[in-house]
């Protein structure tokens, strides 16, 4: 199982607001830390809100590529519905050249919708936009010159797209939430699947992942091609007690605020404890507890190839995040490898 971090480039830490310059510098330091600690992947999301600095993830990843050696660098996710697939490919092919073959893409429709009015798209075309643009992106990856026409973008006639990536095929994962059609689409296309699970019990996604694997099998893809990744909130400290004490206050503040905007109930300690429990979605605890939970999640879902922590949105300090990344690399990853050996 590959282990990594996803970040939304937040400039908020508890009651402290950093300058954007300082927040970006600290984010790059965390990517370097993840590289040095032996993590496999670091992803940058895409939002267009004041509290996040990730509106141009390929630029952040390119800065990180110049300062790292081994870690793979990916979007998490690219909101493909409101992007031009040609420019997306060019940006990440350039990142692939800078990183010497370490670039990846996770593409999705976006759970936040602020990009639609910002770039002049109709939210009523939510799925149609994504379907068309994914088709074009995959065609660009496969072919140097493109002939294509669609509803939402001017046609292309034998048009070459440069630069080409260093990797023969730029890896693309499909980011999904809880829509069955999205799981079936990923399987039918044979794309690796990245599942964002932020609430409840992780094992409830097993029927959807089974749909993905069944669709992929019907389309002629091998089990090895049908990779499954998980993205969930998490944090690791030396002990369970320390991790919960660090994580809970910021988590409760963040999700209670989000709940007011989306109609969810406020976070309670009882509810939080259920999410930290063995089947709960929050991967929070000591290295031993976190490793056990990730192995348990993998078994419950029929095998997980990649897990990424989302942990920079819980009021944690840069120092705490740096320490957690170190613990993941030096403690959690060896425990998982030992369990799987």
């Amino acid at each position: 199982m590959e282990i990594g971090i996803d970040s939304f480039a937040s400039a908020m830490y508890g009651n402290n607001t950093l300058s954007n310059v300082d927040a970006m510098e600290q984010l790059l330091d965390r990517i370097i830390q993840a590289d040095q600690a032996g993590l496999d992947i670091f992803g940058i999301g895409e939002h267009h809100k004041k509290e996040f600095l990730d509106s141009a993830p390929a630029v952040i990843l390119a800065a990180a590529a110049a300062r790292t050696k081994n870690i793979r660098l990916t979007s998490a996710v690219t909101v493909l519905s409101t992007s031009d697939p040609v420019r997306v490919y060019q940006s990440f092919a350039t990142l692939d050249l800078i990183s010497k073959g370490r670039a990846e893409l996770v593409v999705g429709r976006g759970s936040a919708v602020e990009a639609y009015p910002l770039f002049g798209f109709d939210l009523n075309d939510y799925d149609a936009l994504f379907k068309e643009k994914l088709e074009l992106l995959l065609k660009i990856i496969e072919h140097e010159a493109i002939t294509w026409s669609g509803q939402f973008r001017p046609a292309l006639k034998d048009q070459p797209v440069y630069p080409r990536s260093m990797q023969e095929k730029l890896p693309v994962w499909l980011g999904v939430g809880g829509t069955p059609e999205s799981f079936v689409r990923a399987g039918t296309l044979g794309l690796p699947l990245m599942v964002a699970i932020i609430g409840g019990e992780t094992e409830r996604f097993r029927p959807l992942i089974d749909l993905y694997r069944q669709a992929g099998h019907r389309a002629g893809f091998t089990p090895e091609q049908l990779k499954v990744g998980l993205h969930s909130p998490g944090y690791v400290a030396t002990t369970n007690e320390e991790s919960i004490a660090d994580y809970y206050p910021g988590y409760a503040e963040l999700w209670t605020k989000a709940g007011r905007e989306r109609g969810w109930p406020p976070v309670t300690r009882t509810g939080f404890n259920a999410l930290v429990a063995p089947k709960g979605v929050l991967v929070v605890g000591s290295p031993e507890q976190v490793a056990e939970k990730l192995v348990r999640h993998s078994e419950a879902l029929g095998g997980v190839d990649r897990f990424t922590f989302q942990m920079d949105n819980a009021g944690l300090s840069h120092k705490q995040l740096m320490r957690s990344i170190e613990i993941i690399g030096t403690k959690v990853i060896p425990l998982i490898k030992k369990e799987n050996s």
Side-chain angles (χ1 to χ4, degrees):
M1 184 190 303
E2 295 178 324
I3 302 294
I5 307 289
D6 287 335
S7 174
F8 297 161
S10 174
M12 303 292 291
Y13 296 112
N15 295 322
N16 300 316
T17 303
L18 299 175
S19 73
N20 289 348
V21 171
D22 289 342
M24 189 64 73
E25 181 179 6
Q26 291 184 2
L27 172 60
L28 292 172
D29 285 344
R30 293 197 293 277
I31 302 176
I32 294 167
Q33 174 84 327
D35 183 48
Q36 294 175 346
L39 276 67
D40 299 293
I41 193 87
F42 205 107
I44 300 294
E46 179 187 338
H47 298 83
H48 303 271
K49 298 181 178 180
K50 183 178 181 180
E51 60 266 34
F52 301 121
L53 303 177
D54 60 348
S55 65
V59 177
I60 299 173
L61 293 169
R67 299 170 65 180
T68 55
K69 295 181 180 180
N70 299 306
I71 197 164
R72 296 190 68 78
L73 301 165
T74 185
S75 59
V77 302
T78 293
V79 184
L80 189 59
S81 302
T82 59
S83 303
D84 181 349
V86 173
R87 292 299 284 156
V88 169
Y89 178 82
Q90 290 175 325
S91 294
F92 279 83
T94 302
L95 171 63
D96 203 46
L97 297 175
I98 295 169
S99 66
K100 297 181 174 62
R102 292 184 282 132
E104 296 189 5
L105 274 161
V106 181
V107 300
R109 296 177 296 181
S111 59
V113 297
E114 70 274 0
Y116 288 81
L118 181 63
F119 296 112
F121 292 101
D122 188 339
L123 195 55
N124 292 322
D125 296 324
Y126 186 75
D127 191 64
L129 280 162
F130 181 72
K131 182 179 179 180
E132 178 177 297
K133 293 189 176 190
L134 178 61
E135 174 194 310
L136 177 54
L137 177 64
L138 296 178
K139 192 167 186 177
I140 293 169
I141 289 171
E142 291 282 353
H143 304 284
E144 185 171 323
I146 303 299
T147 297
W148 175 92
S149 64
Q151 178 182 355
F152 300 105
R153 190 200 186 282
L156 298 167
K157 185 175 181 180
D158 196 27
Q159 181 66 52
V161 179
Y162 300 120
R164 305 305 296 177
S165 62
M166 178 178 173
Q167 296 174 87
E168 183 177 353
K169 288 183 64 174
L170 190 65
V172 175
W173 294 61
L174 192 61
V176 299
T179 306
E181 292 80 6
S182 296
F183 287 78
V184 172
R185 174 160 44 210
T188 302
L189 294 171
L191 295 176
L193 184 75
M194 179 56 70
V195 189
I197 307 179
I198 61 174
E201 294 186 349
T202 298
E203 66 182 34
R204 67 191 170 92
F205 277 77
R206 177 62 186 265
L208 293 170
I209 291 173
D210 286 345
L211 280 178
Y212 163 69
R213 291 179 171 131
Q214 291 161 9
H217 178 72
R218 288 195 301 270
F221 296 101
T222 66
E224 292 74 24
Q225 292 173 294
L226 300 172
K227 295 181 179 180
V228 173
L230 296 183
H231 158 102
S232 293
Y235 174 72
V236 189
T238 304
T239 66
N240 291 334
E241 295 76 16
E242 180 187 359
S243 65
I244 290 172
D246 288 349
Y247 192 82
Y248 176 72
Y251 176 87
E253 178 182 351
L254 175 76
W255 288 98
T256 296
K257 178 182 177 182
R260 287 194 296 267
E261 297 171 353
R262 302 188 185 188
W264 303 334
V267 174
T268 66
R269 187 56 185 263
T270 300
F272 175 82
N273 290 343
L275 294 175
V276 175
K279 292 185 178 182
V281 69
L282 296 183
V283 186
V284 176
S286 67
E288 294 77 14
Q289 180 167 307
V290 165
E292 289 174 7
K293 192 166 198 174
L294 290 179
V295 171
R296 188 181 302 112
H297 283 349
S298 181
E299 292 171 349
L301 297 176
V304 170
D305 300 282
R306 175 178 292 181
F307 178 81
T308 55
F309 290 84
Q310 167 51 264
M311 66 181 184
D312 68 347
N313 61 353
L316 297 163
S317 70
H318 175 60
K319 182 178 180 180
Q320 289 171 319
L321 292 170
M322 290 284 279
R323 175 61 177 155
S324 189
I325 291 169
E326 179 187 358
I327 293 172
I328 291 168
T330 60
K331 301 291 186 182
V332 175
I333 290 176
L335 285 169
I336 293 173
K337 288 182 176 178
K338 182 179 179 181
E339 183 70 25
N340 291 332
S341 63

